[in-house]
Amino acid sequence: MNIQNETGIEIRPLTTLEQFERCVVLQLEVWGYSDGDLIPRRVFLVAQRIGGQVLGAFDGDTVIGFAMALPGYRNGHSYLHSHMLAVLPQYRNAGLGRSLKLAQREDALARGFDLMEWTFDPLEIKNAHLNVARLGAISRRYKTDFYGPSSSPLQGGLPTDRLYAEWWLRSPRVTGLLSGKPEPIQVVERITVPYTIYQWKQDSQTRLLAEQLQTANREAFESAFDRGLTVVGYERDTAGNGTFLLGAWNSEEQGAWS
Ligand SMILES: CC(C)(COP(=O)(O)OP(=O)(O)OC[C@H]1O[C@@H](n2cnc3c(N)ncnc32)[C@H](O)[C@@H]1OP(=O)(O)O)[C@@H](O)C(=O)NCCC(=O)NCCS
């Protein structure tokens, strides 16, 4: 599979140890992880060999972004768990993150998968927008401090709370959204993340505010999910605040996997 992004960046599978080593370097540049949190090149090799995915975005010969997924199994079904998505800062906001996800979807569909999952930090407004509003993932599971402490400055020392994104690759929700005809949604509840969150996390004077918001939103998600609600939409206002839209998710897939 070779896909050319509108910016001329090509997306294709990574196969060599050199390329996997480059993914380790990209992790350092994108997340600033310490050694203990870095995924080593051999795990990329294993992912590629055992039916996962390692896709790279190439500017010429240089890998400037990648997506990595591992095969997963739950309740009698196989799926792909996408563990990492990274684009170098100078290449962001040109649609590359989305293109990498679409390339993952294409490969997954070609190999018979119906579902891709990944986790994301609900405080990251940009990621939530990409996952829910642009790709059509839904969310109905919340995990408190999923990874334990993180060495990435992006986490700002907060617990690594994560939402699971479920991307039902063939669902009307996803195919409708990707073809520019989104299905209507009925919003029952909203959970908001203010744009000031990034600043709050990075400054020791305001970190407490970020933690309080994380706790309040955690409780709101857990309560909503306990009542059977699902994240089915996401919107941003002109100031940059992000809001999760929760409602019913009555797809056939829900029954098949519960
Ligand atoms: C997440 C990431 C891969 C996205 O890559 P990207 O190439 O910038 O993504 P895209 O250009 O496809 O999409 C960016 C979207 O976010 C929006 N966006 C940009 N900055 C934003 C911000 N500060 N707040 C909210 N949305 C923002 C853009 O408008 C765009 O949406 P649009 O398509 O509706 O216009 C990249 O930001 C990254 O590497 N981040 C650090 C690592 C990470 O968090 N990875 C994901 C979890 S594993």
Side-chain angles (χ1 to χ4, degrees), residues 54-69:
V54 189
L55 303 180
F58 286 82
D59 183 359
D61 291 334
T62 310
V63 182
I64 51 87
F66 71 90
M68 187 267 241

Side-chain angles (χ1 to χ4, degrees), residues 85 97-98 101 125-136:
L85 173 70
R98 185 166 177 273
K101 296 304 294 182
I125 294 169
K126 176 178 173 176
N127 293 359
H129 165 74
L130 176 62
N131 293 336
V132 182
R134 297 286 278 146
L135 298 173

